[in-house]
Amino acid sequence: MRKIYPTTIEAIEAPTLIRITDNFYVVAFRLMKLLPAHFILDRAQQAGLLDIGSIIIETSSGTFGLALAMICALRGYRLILVSDPVIDTSLKRRLEELGAHVEIVSGVEAYTGIQQVRLDRIKSLQEEHPGYFWPSQYDNPHNPEAYTPVAELLVEALGHVDCLIGTVGSGGSLCGTSNYLRMLFPQLTVAGVDTHGSVLFGLPDQPRLLRGLGNSLMPKNVAHMAFDEIHWVNAAEAFLATRILHRTHALYMGGTSGAAFLVSRWWAQQHPNATVVALLPDEGYRYQDTIYNDDWLRQHNALLTQLPEQPCLVSHPHEVNENWSYMLWKRRTYEQVLHYPFLGGQSRGQ
Amino acid sequence: MAVSEVDLKVGHGQAYAHHGELLQGMFADEQGYLHYGLVTLPCMLFHTEVTFTVTPNSEIIVEPATHSKAFQAAKLTLHYCNRSGHGGHLKLNSNIPLKMGFGSSTSDVCATIRAVAQACSFHLLPEEIAQIAVQAEQASDSIMFDTQQTVLFAQREGIVLEEFHKPLPVLEIIGFNTDATGQGIDTLTFTPIHYSHQEIEAFRVLLAGLRKAIALHDPYLLGRVTTASAYINQRYLPKPHFDRLLQLASKTGALGLQVAHSGTIVGFLFDPEIAELEERVQMILTHLFEMGFHISHRFRTEKRTSPRKNTA
Ligand SMILES: Cc1ncc(COP(=O)(O)O)c(C=O)c1O
């Protein structure tokens, strides 16, 4: 029977599974963050925390904010988004069109620590609006729990998955999906994709050109013990991979999709007998003037002509160089990895 | 409808046992409403046979008298078949062990419903039997469906939540009762489980796995599903030595474990095509014996057998 979706949310949140090669598949989302936004707000509604006119406060200048704004527009919730100044104007217009109030925190010259400033602003907004609801995607366990539809899709379509690869921002998508898949496939290899300047897997915090993945703070939803492998992909590499994904497969996706594609394509080539799946979080339209624009890439010193063929294997996060690198995380905790005696001599970290 | 003496007839009914469930939990329907549901593992080692003779007086005599739910089932079926004023003589013969999770009660109830319906010249669909069965005993397994027809069954409502349209992959099951005292569980005193929302989410993925295992005829994926379901159920009705049994399953190359979610039996699932099956089974039996479990049973999910049909 042909399905009729009850609302736009259900229609857009459902991802598409596409075969790239014999052993390599991608889960392409139009807007992945609809899944956790939808699940978190449904649970809050069921718990009696939300009603028409309720105020939702969140910090986001990206896809999670957009997902929230879409649902709030349909359900009549009032949304206040606290954002940093890097928010692109067309997204800001779209959020406002959906009825969200976008608050830009300013007066912060240095990029580093802006997330903390955003969190501080949230605190004061919360004092202004008692009875608010805070979805808190970084720490809310309902974020990873929202990914059953992805696990269901993979189980039902493929019957078996050997390796799942995705980018890590809040950790929700990859930790959530893999947690469900491992109920059936405990051996599943999980490879997380992070970027340079992100603290998630032990690198120092720095300004990042590649947005959406990585983090300056450590979210509770990053379950370090879920990861077998961690890759660090720099912005230029991710952007070129995004373009190549479009050129070769006509998949018009965002920059984090490019990062996931770069790593997963390599992984699938290395393991021809394994079924490899990558999560591609959003579409390319938001990035037409940036990632898909050579002038912008050149201005930002992020125009590459060739992708590295393979990553550089390191044994400790401190060994990571500025290019695509990876290490075997081996399902350890952050502390176990970072405090593991570091024996390398040639690293800039020592 | 007026009933004449000519209508007084004898009916026969039969129903198999089951060996617990492949999957049991809570599942959303298309509208998103949640239902308790299960997928039964039929077991043709044991069965119940029932004979029912309609009498014009309203008394129902059950023999042996211990089968109390059968009495209720007979009464409800007579009513359903427009013979409310009638009674009859119900004779049950069952070799199903009690209170371990073999579904002796549902088997009694189903065989009774079939026998009574036949005596009344009614042919009931499995869906109708299911409705009468849950009225008679509050919660039923889905043994009223043909063993070829795997269904996700709402055991407290008597309705089919999903049909899988294909038989199960053929499995070899080595089962035993984890409760050596034989006291067992009374399904009626076992209150409905309050699953966490994480578990309810997890059941969606397990159900997807079951669908795929049946569609692909993949016994390995099926073993993963049953093991995961058994694992979740450890929070509610734990089987003793569960970790040791899991280890034994993986050591012997079993597909996984499978349990009676409201009983005490556990099964090791094997692919009957696996090399050295007999050696593997022997290893299981030796370990079970060492653990104090001296009695076991063994059966296969059949390609084609079903209880005698009521052809009224
Ligand atoms: C475009 C994009 N890709 C990837 C991610 C990372 O996903 P997650 O937060 O589930 O780790 C995000 C998170 O915001 C995102 O916006």
Side-chain angles (χ1 to χ4, degrees):
Chain A
M1 236 198 327
R2 301 287 176 186
K3 186 164 179 173
I4 300 174
Y5 293 99
T7 76
T8 315
I9 307 309
E10 286 83 1
I12 294 183
E13 74 185 357
T16 314
L17 183 60
I18 303 168
R19 190 172 74 193
I20 301 295
T21 63
D22 276 350
N23 69 323
F24 174 29
Y25 303 81
V26 296
V27 178
F29 288 90
R30 293 168 71 181
L31 184 59
M32 180 178 78
K33 287 286 168 179
L34 273 172
L35 283 179
H38 189 178
F39 193 78
I40 286 171
L41 295 189
D42 273 1
R43 298 223 66 84
Q45 194 180 23
Q46 278 162 20
L49 299 173
L50 285 177
D51 216 330
I52 293 175
S54 290
I55 293 185
I56 296 173
I57 302 174
E58 181 60 294
T59 156
S60 169
S61 39
T63 54
F64 188 64
L66 178 57
L68 285 176
M70 290 170 73
I71 301 171
C72 289
L74 287 174
R75 297 194 179 170
Y77 306 141
R78 290 163 59 201
L79 178 63
I80 302 175
L81 287 171
V82 179
S83 167
D84 59 50
V86 300
I87 187 167
D88 50 285
T89 44
S90 53
L91 176 65
K92 182 163 179 284
R93 265 189 240 121
R94 188 170 169 196
L95 293 168
E96 284 166 350
E97 176 104 328
L98 288 165
H101 173 76
V102 182
E103 230 188 85
I104 311 279
V105 285
S106 51
V108 183
E109 271 68 56
Y111 173 80
T112 311
I114 194 149
Q115 216 162 357
Q116 191 56 54
V117 180
R118 273 155 63 170
L119 291 174
D120 292 345
R121 178 64 189 127
I122 280 211
K123 280 234 172 67
S124 67
L125 278 168
Q126 288 170 348
E127 275 154 29
E128 267 172 59
H129 302 279
Y132 69 92
F133 175 71
W134 184 20
S136 184
Q137 66 154 332
Y138 295 110
D139 300 330
N140 188 337
H142 295 155
N143 172 3
E145 286 164 15
Y147 286 87
T148 33
V150 183
E152 275 182 278
L153 170 71
L154 294 176
V155 168
E156 228 176 303
L158 300 175
H160 187 77
V161 182
D162 293 298
C163 178
L164 182 71
I165 296 172
T167 52
V168 187
S170 69
S173 52
L174 197 52
C175 297
T177 308
S178 63
N179 192 28
Y180 289 123
L181 284 177
R182 278 182 174 151
M183 295 189 308
L184 295 175
F185 318 122
Q187 320 287 355
L188 176 81
T189 297
V190 174
V193 182
D194 194 5
T195 191
H196 305 78
S198 153
V199 304
L200 292 179
F201 297 95
L203 301 196
D205 186 26
Q206 274 167 16
R208 299 183 298 277
L209 191 58
L210 175 57
R211 311 296 302 155
L213 81 177
N215 213 314
S216 300
L217 301 174
M218 186 65 79
K220 287 205 184 86
N221 282 330
V222 176
H224 289 90
M225 288 173 82
F227 296 93
D228 295 289
E229 244 177 62
I230 296 300
H231 289 249
W232 290 270
V233 173
N234 73 35
E237 292 162 340
F239 296 156
L240 179 56
T242 308
R243 302 284 293 267
I244 288 174
L245 177 61
H246 184 226
R247 282 178 212 152
T248 53
H249 299 283
L251 262 168
Y252 194 55
M253 308 300 290
T256 59
S257 295
F261 173 68
L262 176 67
V263 172
S264 49
R265 186 179 63 164
W266 171 80
W267 216 97
Q269 282 164 357
Q270 298 294 305
H271 303 85
N273 297 320
T275 300
V276 181
V277 174
L279 304 181
L280 309 183
D282 72 345
E283 294 181 309
Y285 303 101
R286 255 185 77 199
Y287 314 98
Q288 287 183 23
D289 298 330
T290 54
I291 299 170
Y292 288 94
N293 173 1
D294 285 351
D295 292 335
W296 183 89
L297 290 176
R298 216 173 280 115
Q299 273 165 27
H300 289 82
N301 203 16
L303 183 64
L304 269 192
T305 49
Q306 216 178 346
L307 281 178
E309 264 169 31
Q310 56 186 41
C312 170
L313 177 64
V314 300
S315 60
H316 192 280
H318 294 163
E319 276 180 35
V320 171
N321 63 38
E322 62 271 21
N323 298 321
W324 177 16
S325 312
Y326 81 109
M327 73 171 283
L328 302 177
W329 192 270
K330 296 185 182 161
R331 302 194 189 188
R332 285 173 289 172
T333 63
Y334 179 90
E335 289 73 23
Q336 279 168 342
V337 170
L338 269 290
H339 299 162
Y340 188 74
F342 173 60
L343 305 169
Q346 61 287 63
S347 145
R348 66 205 164 95
Q350 287 286 290
Chain B
M1 196 202 306
V3 184
S4 71
E5 294 292 314
V6 197
D7 281 318
L8 298 185
K9 279 217 287 192
V10 178
H12 298 283
Q14 194 198 28
Y16 284 120
H18 67 73
H19 195 271
E21 300 75 30
L22 296 166
L23 173 63
Q24 179 164 330
M26 190 158 236
F27 306 90
D29 62 22
E30 296 236 315
Q31 280 76 46
Y33 294 108
L34 292 171
H35 305 263
Y36 286 101
L38 53 76
V39 180
T40 290
L41 174 61
C43 172
M44 276 147 278
L45 279 181
F46 309 110
H47 67 278
T48 306
E49 275 176 17
V50 171
T51 309
F52 185 73
T53 313
V54 190
T55 53
N57 60 343
S58 61
E59 200 185 357
I60 298 169
I61 297 161
V62 180
E63 194 188 330
T66 43
H67 296 246
S68 58
K69 290 174 195 164
F71 172 86
Q72 203 51 33
K75 198 171 149 191
L76 290 164
T77 312
L78 281 168
H79 178 73
Y80 192 83
C81 299
N82 306 320
R83 303 289 198 282
S84 282
H86 290 71
H89 190 146
L90 190 70
K91 205 163 178 302
L92 291 105
N93 190 353
S94 175
N95 62 358
I96 306 178
L98 299 176
K99 290 185 177 179
M100 295 185 195
F102 280 110
S104 60
S105 163
T106 303
S107 186
D108 286 355
V109 164
C110 275
T112 298
I113 296 169
R114 284 180 172 141
V116 174
Q118 195 187 50
C120 299
S121 304
F122 266 66
H123 178 73
L124 301 183
L125 297 170
E127 287 79 2
E128 295 174 288
I129 299 177
Q131 279 302 312
I132 301 171
V134 291
Q135 282 181 58
E137 56 168 355
Q138 289 186 34
S140 302
D141 61 78
S142 61
I143 207 69
M144 64 289 292
F145 289 86
D146 188 299
T147 52
Q148 292 293 288
Q149 200 185 347
T150 312
V151 295
L152 175 65
F153 186 71
Q155 70 268 31
R156 294 181 172 271
E157 301 158 81
I159 55 170
V160 172
L161 297 172
E162 184 169 337
E163 283 183 48
F164 300 106
H165 301 297
K166 270 191 175 184
L168 294 172
V170 182
L171 303 166
E172 179 100 17
I173 295 110
I174 313 301
F176 73 104
N177 184 12
T178 57
D179 179 19
T181 67
Q183 265 181 316
I185 306 274
D186 195 340
T187 16
L188 273 192
T189 58
F190 192 68
T191 50
I193 287 170
H194 190 80
Y195 293 111
S196 71
H197 75 262
Q198 288 96 336
E199 288 166 335
I200 293 169
E201 288 301 308
F203 288 132
R204 293 169 49 150
V205 181
L206 299 190
L207 181 59
L210 185 71
R211 264 183 218 129
K212 187 65 172 178
I214 293 174
L216 288 183
H217 235 74
D218 180 348
Y220 290 89
L221 184 53
L222 187 67
R224 297 285 174 80
V225 172
T226 63
T227 306
S229 183
Y231 187 81
I232 292 176
N233 201 56
Q234 280 299 96
R235 267 191 61 197
Y236 302 103
L237 189 62
K239 306 292 179 281
H241 315 293
F242 190 75
D243 288 341
R244 205 167 150 193
L245 299 175
L246 273 182
Q247 278 167 17
L248 185 54
S250 84
K251 197 167 126 188
T252 53
L255 301 166
L257 289 181
Q258 166 273 325
V259 301
H261 293 67
S262 50
T264 54
I265 45 178
V266 170
F268 291 86
L269 302 187
F270 278 96
D271 178 358
E273 305 288 306
I274 195 172
E276 291 157 358
L277 175 65
E278 292 313 316
E279 286 83 345
R280 295 169 194 273
V281 170
Q282 209 45 56
M283 196 158 145
I284 299 238
L285 295 182
T286 309
H287 275 86
L288 289 181
F289 200 88
E290 279 170 13
M291 291 162 78
F293 303 113
H294 298 180
I295 303 169
S296 65
H297 47 268
R298 179 172 177 177
F299 66 101
R300 265 184 200 197
T301 55
E302 296 288 334
K303 274 231 147 63
R304 180 75 239 186
T305 351
S306 67
R308 190 168 52 205
K309 285 274 173 64
N310 285 337
T311 39

